[in-house]
Amino acid sequence: MKRRNFESILSDAIKDLIENGFSVYALKKWQGLLDLAAKYEYSPDEAQVRMQKSLTSLYQSKVTPLALAKFHPGLDRVTINRIIPSMRHELTKRIAASADLIKLNREQAIGLTLKRFSGWSTSIPEGGTDSESLKETKAHIVKPLRSLTYEERRLHIDQGHKMLAAVNEILGLQSGAICMIWRSHFRQAGYDYREDHKERDGNFYVIRGNWALERGFMKNAGHGYTDQITAPAQEVNCRCFGIYVRNLRDLPADMLTQKGKEELKRVKVS
């Protein structure tokens, strides 16, 4: 026997209550059937598999020497290849976090849908009513479940950005980067950017404890340290990214100490 889907059961439940009116027995009966159908039909398993495949594919295409070089100007391929294996745990972490979010989002959507059904049911008088529309009522009740596909598509994108931002941070730290330049997509038409992220665009943020600081070659010239701000892609749906700088010659002049300027001259001469 073919299992009936959630929306067909919901239609029958609405029709029953419209025709016969509210009763505690009817509410409990339909709540039970709807809960079972929703948990079966909207099980997170398939969505979690899709997310795992999506993140793995993104990782394989973006965590390559050629793709990573865009965020790490001047970093040689040998160094990138040496560090790439240590980034794999970031993919595993993102897959696990995404699976938890998908499960939580589906549980919340099912709970909200059943809550809407219960709320609507108790508004129907005994004996039924002629004033309710099946189509409109159903659309209102099932909206949280129908929006899951859209929400999970956004989750795919957001988790992908978070993973790549974390991978680039790992590469920056392990390759001796001294600063991160913040880049925002605020110029992109239609992008809903955060105002403070727009203001960060182009700013140099110092990586605390880096070799140039320890040797007295550079100073914090006003924008602060990377650990004093949220990281690129850390906030929900943030698409900002960082460019990692590891050479004194790539710093603004006001970030160099006198010792740093002398070192830069020495390197140029040699």
Side-chain angles (χ1 to χ4, degrees):
M1 181 178 176
K2 185 177 179 181
R3 182 185 288 271
R4 296 179 62 204
N5 65 35
F6 176 84
E7 292 202 20
S8 69
I9 296 173
L10 178 60
S11 293
D12 287 350
I14 295 170
K15 288 177 186 176
D16 177 40
L17 287 160
I18 287 175
E19 292 173 4
N20 301 306
F22 170 79
S23 71
V24 173
Y25 170 78
L27 175 60
K28 289 184 176 180
K29 179 187 78 170
W30 288 117
Q31 275 184 325
L33 292 172
L34 290 168
D35 185 49
L36 286 173
K39 287 177 178 175
Y40 177 82
E41 188 172 336
Y42 295 95
S43 165
D45 296 347
E46 289 185 10
Q48 289 168 341
V49 170
R50 287 195 299 271
M51 176 67 82
Q52 180 175 349
K53 288 180 178 178
S54 173
L55 289 175
T56 301
S57 176
L58 181 67
Y59 182 90
Q60 291 171 342
S61 65
K62 297 297 185 182
V63 183
T64 66
L66 183 62
L68 291 169
K70 172 185 174 184
F71 306 97
H72 302 269
L75 187 60
D76 62 276
R77 183 181 291 261
V78 173
T79 301
I80 296 176
N81 277 324
R82 175 176 57 82
I83 297 173
I84 279 179
S86 67
M87 302 173 181
R88 187 78 188 184
H89 79 279
E90 202 50 51
L91 170 61
T92 304
K93 185 169 76 174
R94 279 296 142 204
I95 289 172
S98 299
D100 288 342
L101 285 170
I102 288 170
K103 184 173 183 292
L104 179 61
N105 288 345
R106 292 201 166 211
E107 288 173 350
Q108 289 177 339
I110 290 171
L112 181 55
T113 299
L114 294 178
K115 184 178 180 181
R116 287 185 175 204
F117 173 73
S118 297
W120 171 81
S121 299
T122 56
S123 71
I124 303 299
E126 293 182 7
T129 179
D130 295 325
S131 63
E132 294 290 324
S133 163
L134 170 61
K135 183 177 179 181
E136 290 178 4
T137 300
K138 181 178 175 181
H140 168 72
I141 292 172
V142 83
K143 185 177 179 180
L145 290 175
R146 287 180 176 174
S147 67
L148 277 173
T149 300
Y150 169 73
E151 294 299 331
E152 285 169 6
R153 187 163 58 246
R154 288 180 48 147
L155 182 62
H156 279 231
I157 295 169
D158 188 43
Q159 290 299 310
H161 284 304
K162 285 175 166 51
M163 178 181 69
L164 294 180
V167 159
N168 279 300
E169 182 181 20
I170 291 169
L171 182 54
L173 294 175
Q174 293 191 20
S175 63
I178 57 179
C179 265
M180 179 196 72
I181 308 172
W182 188 282
R183 293 297 186 203
S184 167
H185 287 280
F186 75 90
R187 297 178 185 84
Q188 180 181 323
Y191 177 56
D192 186 19
Y193 60 85
R194 291 174 170 84
E195 192 62 36
D196 59 327
H197 290 196
K198 174 185 175 182
E199 293 170 1
R200 294 178 189 177
D201 187 63
N203 288 352
F204 283 67
Y205 293 94
V206 178
I207 296 173
R208 197 184 296 274
N210 73 69
W211 64 267
L213 275 177
E214 291 183 348
R215 295 173 66 179
F217 292 155
M218 67 175 291
K219 57 187 177 181
N220 185 344
H223 296 308
Y225 294 95
T226 54
D227 59 13
Q228 293 177 321
I229 57 171
T230 54
Q234 179 179 335
E235 295 174 78
V236 177
N237 296 322
C238 172
R239 292 176 52 201
C240 298
F241 60 95
I243 301 294
Y244 290 83
V245 171
R246 53 192 44 77
N247 296 308
L248 294 177
R249 64 176 179 270
D250 296 323
L251 295 177
D254 63 353
M255 293 187 73
L256 293 172
T257 62
Q258 185 58 39
K259 186 177 179 181
K261 292 174 183 177
E262 291 170 0
E263 174 66 12
L264 199 53
K265 287 180 182 178
R266 186 190 67 79
V267 171
K268 286 180 180 179
V269 170
S270 61

